[in-house]
Amino acid sequence: MTEQSAVPTSPAVLQRWVGVLGAVVAPTTIITALCYYFGYVYTRKKLAHFGVDCDALGFTTSDYVVGSVSVLYAPLLLLLVGWFAAVWVGAYAGRFIRSGQRPRLIRTTGRIVLALGAVCVVTGITGVMVPWMTPEWAVVSWVFAPITLGMGGLLVVVGYWVLSTSISDPSAPDPGPTTRVSRTVAIAVSLLALFAVMNSFATRLGDDAARTAAHELWTKESVVSVVTDERLDVPRNMIAETLVEAQPHQPPRFRYQCFRAIVARGDLWVLVPAKWSRDNGFAVIVPADSSVLSVSRSSSFKKIAEDNPQPQTVPWQCPERAPNP
């Protein structure tokens, strides 16, 4: 009997391993899904600035997860610092509340915080549900609403914690179902608001990255040339087209210069002209298997570009096609 009781049964072992796998796999899956989503939002907004749909490029899950690093680094750092500060402040505040000093002031503060949190939650819900008449107010509402929702949920949790700690009794029963549900809903509202804020942050970061990349196209040292059998439908005032000397019994080939790469993959390259702008610009997706793409780098190109900082005013397409001095 002793030996049999010492050896766990198969269902018990299976249940234990299922619990371990659930504790590890579930958080990993959630983190991967969040990284994928925010990386997708960032990449989509960045390429949409150039008129390119990221779905047409066939990015993999790994591509979006890697792209989410720049989005999640600063928010996660702030969350860790905030969590560390909240733990320390909560420990000292809990010790002060349990000491029994100024109980009336503490309970009044808890009720005020709880009421303020409820007001913020109602305000945030109103900002989401009420339609705004102008686009400017719509942007304000979608930025303001998640912040008020998140702050409201956190204030509700803090206010409840202050009240429950100030009137807690070791012999008192556990909180009732209504209290537990209310606390869970407040935490869920804060998490949803945090998700909305992160979505707005990823969108803004993708747009800023696209604007920075567009601003640096003219002075970029790495230039791309394309040699292909098929003629590209590109504006002649922005891309230089030359005919490559064809070999006997071979079709003619065309060389295109003044391209800059914004996405470089093994099978597809997304290229834009050095003179790209929102009003006068385009992008081409070139398959690498049917074209010869050459990338060159020269400091002389950058020097010419810096001497001519306004690309729209020069008569030539790009620094590498500048007239010889």
Side-chain angles (χ1 to χ4, degrees), residues 189-274:
V189 167
S190 300
L191 293 178
L192 290 175
L194 179 62
F195 180 85
V197 172
M198 286 295 301
N199 185 79
S200 301
F201 179 73
T203 302
R204 180 60 181 271
L205 200 64
D207 188 63
D208 291 343
R211 293 177 184 274
T212 302
H215 181 71
E216 296 175 350
L217 290 174
W218 182 253
T219 57
K220 197 172 184 179
E221 294 183 18
S222 300
V223 301
V224 180
S225 300
V226 180
V227 178
T228 179
D229 298 335
E230 299 180 358
R231 194 169 189 179
L232 300 180
D233 184 15
V234 294
R236 300 297 179 266
N237 63 330
M238 302 185 72
I239 296 297
E241 179 190 78
T242 56
L243 184 64
V244 180
E245 294 184 4
Q247 299 295 330
H249 308 291
Q250 295 291 333
R253 311 197 76 187
F254 302 91
R255 175 183 286 112
Y256 296 91
Q257 294 177 282
C258 301
F259 275 125
R260 303 290 186 268
I262 58 174
V263 175
R265 301 187 61 192
D267 53 349
L268 294 175
W269 285 51
V270 180
L271 306 176
V272 295

Side-chain angles (χ1 to χ4, degrees), residues 7 72 89 112 135 161 202 212 235 315-316:
V7 179
L72 298 177
V89 172
I112 293 175
W161 175 78
T212 302
W316 26 274

Side-chain angles (χ1 to χ4, degrees), residues 94-118:
R95 187 181 304 174
F96 175 77
I97 294 173
R98 295 186 187 94
S99 65
Q101 300 179 11
R102 299 182 179 180
R104 192 171 182 180
L105 176 61
I106 292 175
R107 294 173 186 175
T108 303
T109 303
R111 295 188 182 95
I112 293 175
V113 172
L114 192 62
L116 184 60

Side-chain angles (χ1 to χ4, degrees), residues 42-303:
Y42 170 81
T43 304
R44 185 175 184 84
K45 186 63 177 179
K46 180 179 178 180
L47 294 181
H49 186 83
F50 297 96
V52 179
D53 189 350
C54 65
D55 293 333
L57 302 178
F59 286 115
T60 62
T61 302
S62 300
D63 296 329
Y64 290 125
V65 171
V66 172
S68 67
V69 173
S70 58
V71 179
L72 298 177
Y73 177 76
L76 288 179
L77 182 62
L78 291 177
L79 285 176
L80 290 176
V81 173
W83 181 261
F84 180 79
V87 169
W88 279 96
V89 172
Y92 283 104
R95 187 181 304 174
F96 175 77
I97 294 173
R98 295 186 187 94
S99 65
Q101 300 179 11
R102 299 182 179 180
R104 192 171 182 180
L105 176 61
I106 292 175
R107 294 173 186 175
T108 303
T109 303
R111 295 188 182 95
I112 293 175
V113 172
L114 192 62
L116 184 60
V119 171
C120 289
V121 170
V122 173
T123 304
I125 295 176
T126 304
V128 174
M129 301 300 295
V130 175
W132 297 86
M133 301 303 296
T134 61
E136 292 79 8
W137 281 110
V139 172
V140 171
S141 66
W142 280 105
V143 173
F144 180 71
I147 295 177
T148 53
L149 276 175
M151 292 299 298
L154 291 177
L155 290 176
V156 168
V157 174
V158 171
Y160 169 78
W161 175 78
V162 171
L163 288 176
S164 61
T165 304
S166 62
I167 62 177
S168 63
D169 186 2
S171 60
D174 295 334
T178 304
T179 302
R180 290 196 297 267
V181 170
S182 302
R183 186 168 51 188
T184 303
V185 170
I187 295 175
V189 167
S190 300
L191 293 178
L192 290 175
L194 179 62
F195 180 85
V197 172
M198 286 295 301
N199 185 79
S200 301
F201 179 73
T203 302
R204 180 60 181 271
L205 200 64
D207 188 63
D208 291 343
R211 293 177 184 274
T212 302
H215 181 71
E216 296 175 350
L217 290 174
W218 182 253
T219 57
K220 197 172 184 179
E221 294 183 18
S222 300
V223 301
V224 180
S225 300
V226 180
V227 178
T228 179
D229 298 335
E230 299 180 358
R231 194 169 189 179
L232 300 180
D233 184 15
V234 294
R236 300 297 179 266
N237 63 330
M238 302 185 72
I239 296 297
E241 179 190 78
T242 56
L243 184 64
V244 180
E245 294 184 4
Q247 299 295 330
H249 308 291
Q250 295 291 333
R253 311 197 76 187
F254 302 91
R255 175 183 286 112
Y256 296 91
Q257 294 177 282
C258 301
F259 275 125
R260 303 290 186 268
I262 58 174
V263 175
R265 301 187 61 192
D267 53 349
L268 294 175
W269 285 51
V270 180
L271 306 176
V272 295
K275 276 189 175 183
W276 188 94
S277 65
R278 293 294 296 269
D279 299 329
N280 187 21
F282 66 97
V284 294
I285 302 176
V286 180
D289 55 353
S290 62
S291 306
V292 178
L293 294 95
S294 60
V295 182
S296 58
R297 179 181 177 91
S298 175
S299 58
S300 60
F301 299 157
K302 187 174 181 64
K303 181 64 170 60

